[in-house]
Amino acid sequence: MNRNSLRIAAPAAVLALALGLSACGAGNESDGSGSKDDSGTKVSGTLNAGGSSAQEAAVNAWKKEFQTANPDATVNYDPAGSGAGREQFLAGGLAIAGSDAYLDDDELAKAKDLCKGDVVEVPVYVSPIAVIFNLDGVKDLNLSPKTIAGIFAGKITTWDDAAIKADNPDAKLPSDKITPVHRSDDSGTTQNFTDYLSKASEGAWTAEPGQTWPVKGGEAAEGTSGVVAAVTSGKGTIGYADESQAGDLGQAKVKVGDTFNAATPEAAAKVLDTSKAVAGRAATDIAIDIDRTSTEAGVYPIVLASYQIACQAPAKDAALIKAWLTYVASSDGQAAAAAGAGSAPLTAEFGKKVQAAIETIKAS
Amino acid sequence: MTSTQAPAPGRASVRRPGDRIFSGLSLSAGVLILVILAGVAIFLTVQGIPGITAHPDEVKSGKSFLPYVWPLVYGTLIAATIAMVIAVPVAIGVALFISHYAPRKLGQSLGYLIDLLAAVPSVVYGLWGIGFLAPHMVPFYAWLDEHLGFLPFFGPASATGRTILTASIVLAVMILPIMTAICREIFLQTPRLHEEAALALGATRWEMARLAIFPYARSGIVSAAMLGLGRALGETLAVAMVLSVGVGTVTANLIGSDNPSTIAANIALGFAEATGKSVNALIASGLVLFVITFLVNFAARSIVDRRKEFSGAN
Amino acid sequence: MTTTLTPPPVDVSRELYGARLPSWGPQAVLAAGVAGAAVSYAAGANLLQAALIAWVICMGLPLWSVAVEGRRKATDRLVTTLVSSAFVLAMFPLFSILWTVISKGSKVLSTDFFTYSMRNIVGEGGGIYHALVGTLLITGAAAVISIPIGIFAAIYLVEYAEGNRLSRWIRFLVDVMTGIPSIVAGLFAYALFVLFFGEGVRMGVGGSVALSVLMIPILVRSTEEMLKLVPNELREASYALGVPKWRTVAKVVLPTSLAGIVTGITLSIARVIGETAPLLIIVGTTDSVNFNLFDGRMASLPVFAFASQRNPGIPPEFSIDRAWGAALVLLVIVMLLNLIARLVSYFFSPKGER
């Protein structure tokens, strides 16, 4: 081969490749101006949201429906984490923040400054957190909050401990060592789980609730998938993870009142109804302190409620933000998230409250 | 190493415009690097200081900065040291094998394969670490615990194998490709005449390597090692996924389930959910890592420079 | 010295080299090692133990050699064994990782996978076109920024600095730069772009800047090493012909070390093309195609793979398969890059080099 001709040919080929690539759009994307049927009230523009990675799968499901219904709208969601999402929202960088925790008082004050008014803060993604375990020969397990706290605090160390036996009088429990697995990354899941332990365990859990796992001992794993993998690969392991990702692992039933309830979406959504709103907040700020000690029938109290936060009078794109949140909180949106991400749909009653808050969004 | 001196003509002869432009360009590129680095350092310092001075109540860890960062420094150094101890000899061995031992065709294709691995995203190394390496290490750790348990390094063994030793091995595998590739290129550049002269004098292949290749390549090997070390110190995601980190743990046990975290992994684990001063504290820990890298490089360079009696190109 | 011209009756090689192991010696030991491993594996040892047994048997070669050939030869054999076993040792994890990526990633490969984005797709289907475009553009721009800076800085260090204080500092700080964690590079790029574009800025070129921070030190380091290896005789010969210095560098020094420089470029690209954390911070992610580096979010393969495996939704298989597919595509890109690099160094290096 002639070397000189190659000198010209090689860059030319690279250039051609680059041009060829840039020439065409993706096979599944229309060119945007698809005016199939403009009878409905369609919104357009780009909505930039970000935050909680727990919401990502649900957001993907919402995006699909929302963007199909509004072909000129694009929703971007950066799953960078709740903290990052709130920080960026407060700095004015995002139209909507997704967050596993509601804004605290400092953040709320900053948000009110930014929005020059109230914020709309609505829980739209509710996910039961299952206590998952992997123990040979045991499929069903009942655990009281106190026992769970004892296990995760490292006080109950074998599966045939008297406390576990008391919860499971009929089960045959081996004398294997218990290896508790917790999240090594800071997460809303850990926050909600430790909050549950500290409130419901009748004093067996002494550490402060928080996003960082507070006590020594046990195994740590990164992310929901890490915990599930560690519990699956270990023996006599127990951990906590979103119910939708638990797969084939055993899930403990948790004692509520006098019964043991399974982690189902219905039971998870129900606990929101019985929980109280945080005091001293505006009507549009539906921040909930989940009632961990509820004794009502059919309730599952270990629940992660993740919020979407926006200004009540956004500086721009108010219609788009309102349309998005309205869809997300609607029964259609909640059903889409349940199908795509395994979340718990809001109950009709709670959904109405949320819709009322979203209804107040208007252009500034 | 500052061994290569440009010869006199460039300075003594008339400076042509081309020369002036060219040397200006290269000088400004060098200065630009300093500017970038200064930018990173200023950014780290400005953002980090509020984290260092923050009151324990203002950050999530609930500790003041030194007690917070010390276990992380410890973990970072341990993990990087073990990774280097494993990877450097292996990388040199592999590079030597490819450049001087293996048949040429085979060596080239193997080198090619190793280059590929430099591109595997860290998340894949992480998944490989949890899914493949850690379970396979469990019996080995149990054996260590049983037979060498009297040593402080081999305390109670982890049941899942996700220990700092496993994380170090993953790190070693991650830094292997880049170190091997650079060492290989340098070994291949050894002047043929030097090698043949050594062989002609009756040297065995190893003696040839020691007399002709290594002195020629020493500076390059150190550079390769430093690149690897940089990655080992700064790797976030893979360590975060593989390691079972404890809460502020400092332990000599390399195979337990309660492990010290590393600075970079701690940033990855905490950053997503951090707000306010906690963010500053994480960035301040990044500044500490920066300082560590600075010191380690400083030490390595001064050791190498002290014995630069042999200079490569001259 | 013999006084007669008739050849001596003894075997010359024996005279010259002394006693040697038979030429089939190493192969025989290796075969014994493999056999030993196979037997012990069959007898119930695990893979690790079997490999260890094979290795111990192979270490018999230097012992045999020390008995027959003497210490110098034995040392040589020992090093050969060690170097080869280092190689085999390194191949284990490397093959294991490659195999994992290829076997898990090849499942999803299809035309749609390369031509579809993820816009409006949940569950099965969809593709990585948007992420592929993003990765190529962002990494390409990072290369465009880094390669000139890196190579010129290396030229400065080797050809112009003459060992002055500035060059020592640059060299040292470049090493320090290699230890910047990738997430810090991302934060730095974000802080920089916020200065110009305000909060919430997301653009592809920001990611390129972050990647450049990671890429430049690798480039400078590897290029510098390669330039240093160019024999001074070549430079002097060029000067002696009256060629100006800059032309000497451009026409003699750079082409001579081209193969090594190109390898360094490929390596540095390979190093950053799989970065996740900095891109997540400054580039964000989207599920649609975006060709504009200077406006808005772009998807990229590593971020896509990371997010897909972390938050797969239900059922998780489809998303996780796509994550592996994206990782495999990353590998293939780097493979192609390597191929191009080799062609470049093959055709552009001066004759006599590779």
Side-chain angles (χ1 to χ4, degrees):
Chain A
M1 205 183 289
N2 185 335
R3 272 179 49 170
N4 276 330
S5 71
L6 214 106
R7 277 182 192 224
I8 300 158
V14 172
L15 196 71
L17 192 73
L19 283 177
L21 195 69
S22 66
C24 50
N28 56 328
E29 285 182 34
S30 61
D31 51 1
S33 56
S35 51
K36 284 167 254 169
D37 146 47
D38 273 354
S39 55
T41 47
K42 292 203 186 308
V43 287
S44 63
T46 302
L47 178 64
N48 289 324
S52 162
S53 57
Q55 285 190 31
E56 197 199 0
V59 170
N60 284 339
W62 291 326
K63 271 199 295 201
K64 175 189 174 187
E65 300 298 328
F66 187 74
Q67 289 177 157
T68 309
N70 304 284
D72 292 339
T74 296
V75 180
N76 293 315
Y77 188 85
D78 298 334
S82 307
R86 292 201 301 275
E87 289 264 292
Q88 297 246 323
F89 173 74
L90 295 178
L94 293 174
I96 291 180
S99 170
D100 294 345
Y102 53 77
L103 296 172
D104 64 24
D105 292 341
D106 283 354
E107 286 169 335
L108 188 60
K110 273 191 214 162
K112 282 183 171 164
D113 272 358
L114 172 86
C115 294
K116 302 192 178 67
D118 272 323
V119 291
V120 171
E121 184 170 34
V122 286
V124 290
Y125 173 82
V126 178
S127 171
I129 300 168
V131 177
I132 52 176
F133 64 93
N134 182 10
L135 185 60
D136 284 343
V138 179
K139 281 253 81 151
D140 299 305
L141 193 66
N142 294 331
L143 293 174
S144 68
K146 204 170 169 179
T147 315
I148 300 177
I151 291 173
F152 278 94
K155 297 206 178 78
I156 297 173
T157 54
T158 54
W159 281 105
D160 57 355
D161 191 280
I164 304 180
K165 274 189 179 156
D167 290 339
N168 302 276
D170 305 329
K172 259 204 256 164
L173 293 163
S175 62
D176 295 12
K177 226 179 82 185
I178 302 181
T179 306
V181 183
H182 58 82
R183 289 278 288 266
S184 61
D185 52 332
D186 293 359
S187 66
T189 311
T190 301
Q191 162 97 48
N192 281 281
F193 188 66
T194 49
D195 184 50
Y196 165 74
L197 291 182
S198 76
K199 284 184 179 144
S201 71
E202 302 158 26
W205 182 263
T206 50
E208 285 282 312
Q211 293 176 326
T212 314
W213 184 254
V215 296
K216 276 182 181 279
E219 287 263 333
E222 194 256 357
T224 301
S225 51
V227 171
V228 171
V231 171
T232 311
S233 67
K235 270 189 184 154
T237 42
I238 186 166
Y240 57 93
D242 289 78
E243 189 266 340
S244 58
Q245 298 300 323
D248 300 331
L249 286 168
Q251 298 183 16
K253 286 183 179 161
V254 171
K255 193 171 193 181
V256 178
D258 291 325
T259 56
F260 289 94
N261 291 350
T264 61
E266 297 75 38
K270 211 169 162 189
V271 78
L272 285 194
D273 294 344
T274 67
S275 303
K276 277 203 272 305
V278 178
R281 300 259 170 148
T284 55
D285 186 352
I286 309 182
I288 300 278
D289 278 327
I290 293 166
D291 184 7
R292 309 291 184 187
T293 52
S294 168
T295 52
E296 275 191 46
V299 154
Y300 185 81
I302 318 179
V303 162
L304 165 79
S306 191
Y307 298 81
Q308 291 206 352
I309 303 165
C311 289
Q312 192 179 21
K316 56 179 185 158
D317 292 333
L320 182 61
I321 293 171
K322 188 172 177 177
W324 166 257
L325 285 176
T326 305
Y327 167 71
V328 161
S330 70
S331 55
D332 285 353
Q334 290 293 308
S343 66
L346 299 174
T347 59
E349 188 189 341
F350 195 82
K352 261 185 225 146
K353 252 201 302 190
V354 170
Q355 287 293 5
I358 294 168
E359 201 52 41
T360 64
I361 296 178
K362 57 184 187 298
S364 58
Chain B
M1 288 256 275
T2 54
S3 53
T4 304
Q5 300 262 331
R11 199 167 23 175
S13 66
V14 191
R15 303 271 289 181
R16 275 163 269 225
D19 265 339
R20 230 170 285 144
I21 294 169
F22 207 75
S23 72
L25 271 179
S26 46
L27 175 64
S28 40
V31 172
L32 188 61
I33 289 179
L34 291 188
V35 171
I36 294 173
L37 199 77
V40 175
I42 291 170
F43 161 74
L44 283 174
T45 317
V46 169
Q47 295 280 313
I49 282 177
I52 296 175
T53 56
H55 190 268
D57 295 342
E58 292 174 307
V59 290
K60 247 198 280 184
S61 60
K63 292 183 199 152
S64 54
F65 187 67
L66 268 183
Y68 168 67
V69 86
W70 148 241
L72 302 175
V73 171
Y74 175 80
T76 306
L77 291 179
I78 294 276
T81 311
I82 301 175
M84 291 302 279
V85 166
I86 299 171
V88 170
V90 174
I92 294 176
V94 173
L96 204 58
F97 182 83
I98 292 173
S99 65
H100 285 83
Y101 282 77
R104 187 148 185 102
K105 273 265 150 46
L106 182 71
Q108 266 178 354
S109 39
L110 291 174
Y112 184 54
L113 203 67
I114 290 179
D115 286 358
L116 269 192
L117 280 151
V120 176
S122 347
V123 56
V124 171
Y125 280 104
L127 289 173
W128 177 77
I130 335 177
F132 179 84
L133 185 63
H136 281 82
M137 295 302 279
V138 171
F140 178 57
Y141 291 155
W143 184 86
L144 280 179
D145 183 18
E146 206 174 304
H147 294 90
L148 296 171
F150 56 89
L151 293 172
F153 317 114
F154 307 121
S158 156
T160 56
R162 294 166 49 255
T163 72
I164 193 143
L165 188 55
T166 308
S168 304
I169 296 173
V170 172
L171 278 180
V173 176
M174 289 182 83
I175 62 180
L176 204 57
I178 199 161
M179 296 197 328
T180 306
I182 294 178
C183 288
R184 180 194 69 214
E185 285 304 319
I186 291 162
F187 291 165
L188 283 171
Q189 300 279 350
T190 314
R192 253 294 139 76
L193 285 176
H194 292 201
E195 293 174 11
E196 282 165 3
L199 292 174
L201 288 172
T204 61
R205 199 147 45 162
W206 162 238
E207 285 161 345
M208 182 272 282
R210 228 179 31 175
L211 293 171
I213 302 177
F214 288 158
Y216 187 77
R218 185 190 299 127
S219 153
I221 294 175
V222 173
S223 287
M226 285 298 128
L227 280 182
L229 179 69
R231 180 142 201 214
L233 287 171
E235 175 53 40
T236 46
L237 207 55
V239 179
M241 288 173 77
V242 171
L243 195 58
S244 164
V245 298
V247 184
T249 309
V250 176
T251 171
N253 184 4
L254 301 178
I255 58 169
S257 53
D258 196 19
N259 297 287
S261 185
T262 72
I263 290 177
N266 184 59
I267 295 178
L269 292 173
F271 189 77
E273 300 296 325
T275 50
K277 288 276 170 67
S278 298
V279 177
N280 296 116
L282 287 175
I283 294 179
S285 72
L287 180 64
V288 172
L289 181 58
F290 197 73
V291 173
I292 293 176
T293 323
F294 194 90
L295 294 177
V296 170
N297 273 291
F298 196 76
R301 280 288 146 201
S302 54
I303 291 169
V304 176
D305 284 354
R306 209 181 300 151
R307 24 184 322 208
K308 58 173 178 189
E309 72 282 359
F310 184 95
S311 64
N314 293 310
Chain C
M1 275 278 171
T2 47
T3 50
T4 152
L5 287 174
T6 46
V10 287
D11 183 354
V12 180
S13 65
R14 216 157 241 295
E15 279 284 283
L16 281 174
Y17 296 109
R20 297 187 74 183
L21 293 186
S23 60
W24 44 263
Q27 279 99 325
V29 173
L30 185 65
V34 172
V39 167
S40 56
Y41 188 63
N46 63 30
L47 262 180
L48 193 76
Q49 287 162 335
L52 210 64
I53 287 168
W55 188 72
V56 168
I57 293 177
C58 287
M59 289 314 276
L61 180 68
L63 290 179
W64 183 13
S65 167
V66 83
V68 179
E69 296 175 317
R71 216 173 48 85
R72 275 183 60 215
K73 279 279 158 105
T75 316
D76 188 44
R77 300 255 188 218
L78 175 70
V79 172
T80 307
T81 320
L82 283 179
V83 164
S84 315
S85 43
F87 180 75
V88 175
L89 181 71
M91 281 296 123
F92 263 120
L94 301 187
F95 266 110
S96 152
I97 288 171
L98 273 187
W99 175 245
T100 314
V101 175
I102 293 170
S103 63
K104 293 197 178 185
S106 53
K107 270 189 287 184
V108 287
L109 297 188
S110 65
T111 334
D112 282 0
F113 191 66
F114 288 101
T115 53
Y116 274 37
S117 71
M118 285 303 291
R119 190 177 164 95
N120 298 348
I121 285 167
V122 169
E124 201 176 354
I128 53 159
Y129 182 66
H130 59 313
L132 189 62
V133 168
T135 283
L136 291 180
L137 288 176
I138 292 170
T139 319
V144 167
I145 298 172
S146 312
I147 293 175
I149 297 181
I151 289 182
F152 271 110
I155 290 175
Y156 173 73
L157 290 178
V158 177
E159 306 291 335
Y160 286 97
E162 304 176 6
N164 62 17
R165 182 168 297 188
L166 178 67
S167 75
R168 283 206 297 276
W169 273 105
I170 293 177
R171 197 171 279 128
F172 175 63
L173 290 172
V174 161
D175 281 345
V176 174
M177 223 170 148
T178 60
I180 296 177
S182 51
I183 195 166
V184 169
L187 291 171
F188 166 71
Y190 182 72
L192 185 71
F193 274 69
V194 164
L195 287 183
F196 298 110
F197 300 98
E199 279 293 341
V201 57
R202 292 284 190 287
M203 53 173 74
V205 73
S208 306
V209 170
L211 295 186
S212 297
V213 172
L214 301 170
M215 221 171 140
I216 288 173
I218 301 178
L219 266 171
V220 176
R221 249 12 223 141
S222 56
T223 310
E224 190 200 347
E225 291 306 330
M226 297 311 149
L227 292 181
K228 270 203 229 164
L229 295 177
V230 175
N232 262 352
E233 289 83 346
L234 282 182
R235 298 191 180 89
E236 279 153 13
S238 173
Y239 296 142
L241 292 172
V243 179
K245 182 159 185 171
W246 73 276
R247 281 187 71 92
T248 305
V249 173
K251 293 283 182 186
V252 176
V253 179
L254 284 181
T256 310
S257 50
L258 188 71
I261 294 175
V262 168
T263 307
I265 292 174
T266 342
L267 265 180
S268 64
I269 293 177
R271 164 74 180 81
V272 299
I273 202 168
E275 277 300 341
T276 313
L279 296 189
L280 195 53
I281 290 171
I282 172 75
V283 186
T285 180
T286 172
D287 53 12
S288 313
V289 179
N290 176 7
F291 282 107
N292 191 346
L293 273 172
F294 296 91
D295 181 34
R297 282 146 230 263
M298 292 175 103
S300 55
L301 286 171
V303 172
F304 176 75
F306 174 69
S308 304
Q309 77 81 34
R310 215 188 137 102
N311 302 298
I314 53 168
E317 299 88 69
F318 301 125
S319 191
I320 288 172
D321 284 351
R322 281 196 293 264
W324 284 108
L328 178 59
V329 171
L330 262 182
L331 272 191
V332 173
I333 292 176
V334 174
M335 198 171 82
L336 293 177
L337 212 63
N338 258 311
L339 205 66
I340 295 172
R342 277 178 203 239
L343 286 177
V344 167
S345 57
Y346 179 77
F347 285 106
F348 290 68
S349 288
K351 289 207 177 73
E353 299 288 316
R354 265 158 310 140

